Amino acid sequence: DDEPVFGNLLQIGWQRKWTILSCVVLGVLVGIIYLSRATPIYQSTAVVFMDQAQPKFLSDSYAGALGNQPSMIAQAQVLTSTSMLNRAMELPSMKQADGVWESSNPLGYLRSNLSVAFGDSEEILMVSMQSPNAQDNAIVVNTLVQAYAEYHSDRRRNTAAEVLKVLQ
């Protein structure tokens, strides 16, 4: 009992060195086999700046009639909405994403692999896609951002038309 505990552990470890070494080698081999068979998952991310500024040429009463800018949470929901995904799927660049069209449900495939997160700033959204095909990820993310930019541009044009009606 006078011997230190650490010395006893070293002695036991030395006596069982082949068992310990066998377990380490077996663990490394299992890890190598798992990694060689695992499907790699790639991620593509686009950073979207959301301009929240409105023109200040109208008084607050008219600006209120036109509606406020949507919140960032609403913008994130719009980015992953069914209508936005359908709009993106209709763009020619999306036709190059073979993995999307090979799935039995392309819309469901997009919905399950896409995510939107908030950036460090209040005006930044990050659109990401994870799947085994890195090229498809980039195509899908870029096409979705393009579809959103077109949607946002159309919306601003409609807002401008509404402002014109109010001014007339």
Side-chain angles (χ1 to χ4, degrees):
D1 284 344
D2 291 343
E3 292 183 34
V5 175
F6 185 67
N8 287 339
L9 290 177
L10 287 177
Q11 184 180 9
I12 291 170
W14 185 251
Q15 290 173 349
R16 304 286 184 222
K17 64 184 168 203
W18 295 112
T19 304
I20 295 170
L21 185 62
S22 299
C23 289
V24 169
V25 169
L26 181 65
V28 168
L29 287 176
V30 167
I32 289 171
I33 291 171
Y34 171 76
L35 289 176
S36 68
R37 293 177 183 247
T39 303
I41 301 296
Y42 301 99
Q43 178 174 331
S44 293
T45 302
V47 178
V48 181
F49 173 73
M50 309 300 275
D51 186 12
Q52 298 291 329
Q54 285 186 356
K56 298 290 182 188
F57 59 88
L58 294 175
S59 69
D60 289 338
S61 62
Y62 286 119
L66 296 175
N68 296 330
Q69 284 285 347
S71 70
M72 292 297 288
I73 294 171
Q75 295 299 314
Q77 290 174 346
V78 166
L79 262 167
T80 57
S81 68
T82 301
S83 61
M84 188 60 61
L85 294 177
N86 282 331
R87 186 177 189 146
M89 289 172 62
E90 292 172 0
L91 292 175
S93 57
M94 186 67 86
K95 304 297 183 209
Q96 299 171 359
D98 297 330
V100 173
W101 302 108
E102 290 171 357
S103 69
S104 61
N105 180 5
L107 185 62
Y109 178 82
L110 290 177
R111 200 174 272 292
S112 65
N113 292 322
L114 279 170
S115 65
V116 177
F118 297 99
D120 296 336
S121 167
E122 293 179 5
E123 299 171 325
I124 301 291
L125 286 178
M126 295 182 297
V127 182
S128 300
M129 180 166 171
Q130 290 184 340
S131 79
N133 190 327
Q135 186 176 6
D136 282 356
N137 290 349
I139 291 170
V140 168
V141 168
N142 289 333
T143 304
L144 182 61
V145 170
Q146 178 186 354
Y148 179 77
E150 290 174 4
Y151 161 80
H152 195 62
S153 178
D154 291 346
R155 197 162 161 249
R156 283 199 180 223
R157 269 194 297 276
N158 291 340
T159 302
E162 289 176 22
V163 168
L164 186 58
K165 283 181 186 178
V166 168
L167 290 175
Q168 289 176 345

